[in-house]
Amino acid sequence: MATATKREFQLTGANVSALFTLKLHRGEGMALIAMNWKNGKPTKDFVGFAIEYKEPGGTKFFALNNRLGFLNADGSVDPNKLSTLRSPIQKFRWVHFPRNADMPGNFTYRVSPVFMDPLEKLSYGDPQEVEVELMRETYPGKLNVTFTRGFVSSQAFVDKYQKDGHSISELMPVSANDGLTFVPTHPLAKDAYAWMGFEARSAILEVLDEAIKDKKAQVKVIAYDLNEPGIVTRLEKIGNRVQVIIDDDGAHGTVGSAENQSEERLVISAGRDNVKRQHMGKLQHNKTIVVDGPITKAVVCGSTNLSWRGFFIQSNNAMILRGEKPVKIFSSAFDNYWNNSNKPAAFGKTASAKWNSLGLDSINAKVAFSPHNDTNALLQAIGDDINNNTSSSLLYSLAFLYETKGPILDAINKISKSNKIFVYGISDKKVGGIDLHIPDTNIDPVFPVVLKDGSLPEPFKSEPVGGGGTRLHHKFAVIDFDKPTARVYLGSYNFSSPADIKNGENLLLIKDRRVVTAYMIEALRIFDHYHFRLLQADAATSQKKLFLHKPPTQPGEKTWFDEDYTLARKIRDREIFS
């Protein structure tokens, strides 16, 4: 059995007698479990993988559940979640969220191949086991990658929080402008918010709680959306030790907006001189927090808006940086925004608009802030990096990508036509839902996944949409995750011309495989989630059921894994993660 050390992010099973390989990738509150058959194709009686896990210090294995099952004798579908020991996973990889992922110590994963005989009796082959320490922080005391869950439109949300007649309307305000005064009526609201906000919300609130306790800490905040009461209340508690820049573009500057309400409250607690409204060339789109104190030195950056939708509806990421150097760089950027308010050209001449190393020991990471000028603009360089230097894979989750013409879209379209590069991508559309890039030999078009309330095929229940507006809010691109050259671009930066030369933005480039692996898994789990929703939509339209496939019994009938060995994309998928 393979065992992890604190720095390992990928481990492989060591059972030579097992018929398959097992590789486990460490994520943030999640793990990617990837399998592949060792010699040729599995036999026709192979019906999937049973996956179990054991918590640190535990003595009992718990089987993961599958929402799909084999058809009953009468052709019906079991509506219950079933153990993968009875309803195996018919995929060569799976993303798992351990219930207590932040527990110290090693989690043990055990995966077994499952077979079905002609009488439909199941049997199990030799398993592979891997131990891994998931850890709460990516690099303790230096850098932590965090994500929101972004799964309101999911069966898991329905099972947990829409039972007994309850609904999402009891958890979320109808309008962002009602956010600061909204009072939830859902009996499980506290638990629901922790589940929905996942690690990103808890980590951001933790930084603010540290700032409150560190009585000499100075706090600098830039907020695009600002309507979440837990954030504003904490900023009020910090008093005049906080400076805040709040976006005032568009709806944010209108009478009654939550941002205007937040401004009024923070002027009272922090003082008029410590609160500024700003839009730079178009938007002040940063979502950053800097805490500079004798006890706490921390930075929050990334794509997560300090809002109800940012925490609880959208798929978002937030990075927590620790140490004097990140604090100095982000504090200087704040000061340059403050002193060059709504002057893009002036800000573009500051050192903040250039790449700056974050000075993190053993982590290759740098940051640049927008707006840039002609001499330090970055959009074309990023497009060139994707276009010219991608050698193995590109996985991306980019809000508004297909609405934004320019170097990034051009590069992605070109790379996606190469049969040498593995590409999976997903992007939110302003109208119509999600763009899902599913390339069979990397040439297929983008498929729209329209999110709407309505019936789903058996055995699934109707899911909430989560209101209007963007649901997929990530802005990151993962290049060559499986190579020593692995890197990820991330931040508030929308990979567009306005983000580059008009808006206030943060953009990070990190060349570290542990960090890159975390973003790779996030890209994959979001992609898989919406890809399955596409299958659900197709099944609902054609009035089909979704179920597990039994071994073929008729001439010409195919196995469940036939496409994994015949379609170029699925062959590459099976190989690259395992």
Side-chain angles (χ1 to χ4, degrees):
M1 178 172 61
T3 303
T5 64
K6 283 182 178 291
R7 295 297 297 270
E8 289 182 285
F9 55 92
Q10 293 174 334
L11 292 109
T12 56
N15 186 357
V16 296
S17 64
L19 296 171
F20 66 102
T21 62
L22 172 65
K23 179 179 282 188
L24 192 140
H25 307 255
R26 177 205 173 273
E28 298 299 326
M30 63 190 96
L32 171 61
I33 307 158
M35 294 76 65
N36 196 11
W37 215 250
K38 286 181 177 178
N39 298 308
K41 295 171 60 175
T43 53
K44 292 184 178 181
D45 59 346
F46 172 59
V47 289
F49 294 98
I51 305 176
E52 304 167 90
Y53 82 106
K54 182 172 60 177
E55 292 183 337
T59 58
K60 181 180 179 181
F61 276 93
F62 297 92
L64 276 60
N65 290 323
N66 192 354
R67 292 185 179 275
L68 297 182
F70 298 108
L71 286 177
N72 297 322
D74 61 359
S76 62
V77 176
D78 193 325
N80 300 305
K81 290 186 295 183
L82 302 172
S83 162
T84 56
L85 292 166
R86 303 301 304 165
S87 294
I89 300 295
Q90 290 189 337
K91 287 174 64 72
F92 283 89
R93 56 174 170 76
W94 196 256
V95 176
H96 176 233
F97 290 81
R99 184 172 301 169
N100 302 299
D102 58 350
M103 289 182 67
N106 287 330
F107 286 79
T108 304
Y109 282 87
R110 182 168 67 194
V111 181
S112 306
V114 184
F115 303 91
M116 178 181 283
D117 68 16
L119 297 178
E120 299 188 2
K121 181 180 178 180
L122 299 180
S123 60
Y124 308 88
D126 288 341
Q128 292 275 19
E129 286 190 15
V130 171
E131 287 187 358
V132 62
E133 188 172 21
L134 294 177
M135 301 162 43
R136 184 178 185 272
E137 289 187 89
T138 315
Y139 282 104
K142 292 190 288 187
L143 180 154
N144 191 24
V145 178
T146 70
F147 299 107
T148 61
R149 196 174 297 267
F151 273 9
V152 165
S153 296
S154 72
Q155 293 296 294
F157 180 86
V158 172
D159 288 348
K160 288 175 178 289
Y161 306 115
Q162 289 207 163
K163 54 189 177 183
D164 302 325
H166 296 291
S167 71
I168 193 171
S169 64
E170 300 172 80
L171 291 169
M172 299 288 297
V174 174
S175 167
N177 292 344
D178 299 330
L180 295 176
T181 57
F182 175 78
V183 178
T185 57
H186 198 293
L188 300 176
K190 183 177 180 180
D191 179 69
Y193 294 147
W195 187 87
M196 297 158 75
F198 202 40
E199 191 184 0
R201 172 181 179 256
S202 64
I204 292 171
L205 295 182
E206 182 179 287
V207 167
L208 288 176
D209 288 339
E210 290 177 31
I212 293 170
K213 293 178 181 178
D214 191 348
K215 300 299 184 182
K216 295 184 179 180
Q218 299 299 308
V219 180
K220 298 178 178 181
V221 178
I222 306 178
Y224 177 64
D225 290 339
L226 187 58
N227 63 51
E228 205 284 322
I231 295 290
V232 175
T233 299
R234 283 170 169 82
L235 294 179
E236 288 175 316
K237 289 180 180 179
I238 298 171
N240 63 6
R241 294 187 287 117
V242 66
Q243 281 183 286
V244 184
I245 297 173
I246 307 172
D247 178 74
D248 63 358
D249 182 74
H252 288 167
T254 60
V255 175
S257 72
E259 289 66 35
N260 284 355
Q261 297 173 48
S262 295
E263 177 188 16
E264 292 172 3
R265 287 174 55 172
L266 293 172
V267 164
I268 294 172
S269 60
R272 175 70 269 176
D273 291 342
N274 285 331
V275 182
K276 180 171 286 193
R277 303 302 296 275
Q278 188 178 97
H279 51 265
M280 297 308 291
K282 174 56 179 173
L283 308 175
Q284 179 43 277
H285 196 241
N286 273 289
K287 314 94 171 46
T288 58
I289 301 171
V290 183
V291 180
D292 187 3
I295 300 173
T296 300
K297 291 189 180 297
V299 168
V300 176
C301 57
S303 71
T304 307
N305 279 313
L306 307 178
S307 66
W308 285 93
R309 290 188 64 81
F311 279 170
F312 304 124
I313 298 296
Q314 296 169 338
S315 296
N316 270 312
N317 66 92
M319 183 165 286
I320 315 299
L321 304 169
R322 302 273 181 175
E324 289 187 10
K325 186 67 180 292
V327 165
K328 182 178 179 180
I329 291 172
F330 276 79
S331 183
S332 177
F334 179 96
D335 292 343
N336 286 329
Y337 285 123
W338 189 275
N339 296 327
N340 297 283
S341 190
N342 303 331
K343 298 176 182 177
F347 182 90
K349 294 178 182 178
T350 68
S352 298
K354 302 175 182 179
W355 283 120
N356 289 273
S357 170
L358 287 170
L360 300 170
D361 182 39
S362 75
I363 304 173
N364 187 338
K366 57 185 180 180
V367 64
F369 297 87
S370 299
H372 305 290
N373 57 36
D374 291 340
T375 63
N376 56 28
L378 293 173
L379 189 66
Q380 185 63 55
I382 299 170
D384 291 343
D385 188 19
I386 294 172
N387 193 22
N388 301 327
N389 302 321
T390 303
S391 63
S392 172
S393 63
L394 173 67
L395 295 99
Y396 62 84
S397 184
L398 297 171
F400 313 118
L401 172 67
Y402 288 93
E403 298 173 44
T404 308
K405 296 181 180 180
I408 306 303
L409 182 57
D410 291 345
I412 288 176
N413 285 337
K414 182 178 178 180
I415 287 289
S416 298
K417 294 176 182 178
S418 168
N419 58 13
K420 296 180 181 179
I421 308 299
F422 181 81
V423 181
Y424 273 166
I426 189 166
S427 174
D428 198 282
K429 297 178 69 174
K430 190 172 183 179
V431 178
I434 302 289
D435 275 338
L436 191 69
H437 193 170
I438 310 174
D440 282 333
T441 64
N442 292 333
I443 301 177
D444 283 346
V446 172
F447 291 82
V449 181
V450 180
L451 305 181
K452 59 183 179 181
D453 287 314
S455 61
L456 292 173
E458 289 187 74
F460 299 94
K461 307 166 189 173
S462 292
E463 301 168 352
V465 171
T470 304
R471 284 168 293 276
L472 185 102
H473 196 250
H474 281 310
K475 304 98 170 39
F476 70 81
V478 175
I479 303 172
D480 293 345
F481 81 90
D482 57 328
K483 301 292 183 182
T485 54
R487 55 209 181 275
V488 58
Y489 291 95
L490 65 116
S492 68
Y493 184 94
N494 266 323
F495 294 82
S496 65
S497 180
D500 204 38
I501 62 176
K502 290 184 178 181
N503 300 346
E505 308 275 9
N506 62 86
L507 172 68
L508 286 77
L509 172 57
I510 300 180
K511 300 177 180 180
D512 178 274
R513 292 194 67 191
R514 187 181 187 89
V515 173
V516 171
T517 296
Y519 278 90
M520 175 274 286
I521 296 173
E522 173 69 2
L524 202 61
R525 70 110 175 177
I526 296 293
F527 179 91
D528 285 350
H529 176 70
Y530 286 107
H531 187 194
F532 188 70
R533 288 180 60 79
L534 181 62
L535 299 179
Q536 288 178 316
D538 289 345
T541 300
S542 56
Q543 297 184 327
K544 294 180 179 179
K545 302 172 184 177
L546 293 174
F547 54 86
L548 296 182
H549 293 275
K550 297 175 183 178
T553 58
Q554 303 298 323
E557 190 177 352
K558 296 181 179 179
T559 62
W560 70 267
F561 52 84
D562 181 75
E563 289 187 347
D564 296 285
Y565 286 84
T566 56
L567 293 181
R569 170 181 60 85
K570 288 203 169 186
I571 292 172
R572 184 64 172 140
D573 187 311
R574 176 171 51 81
E575 295 173 343
I576 195 169
F577 298 107
S578 62

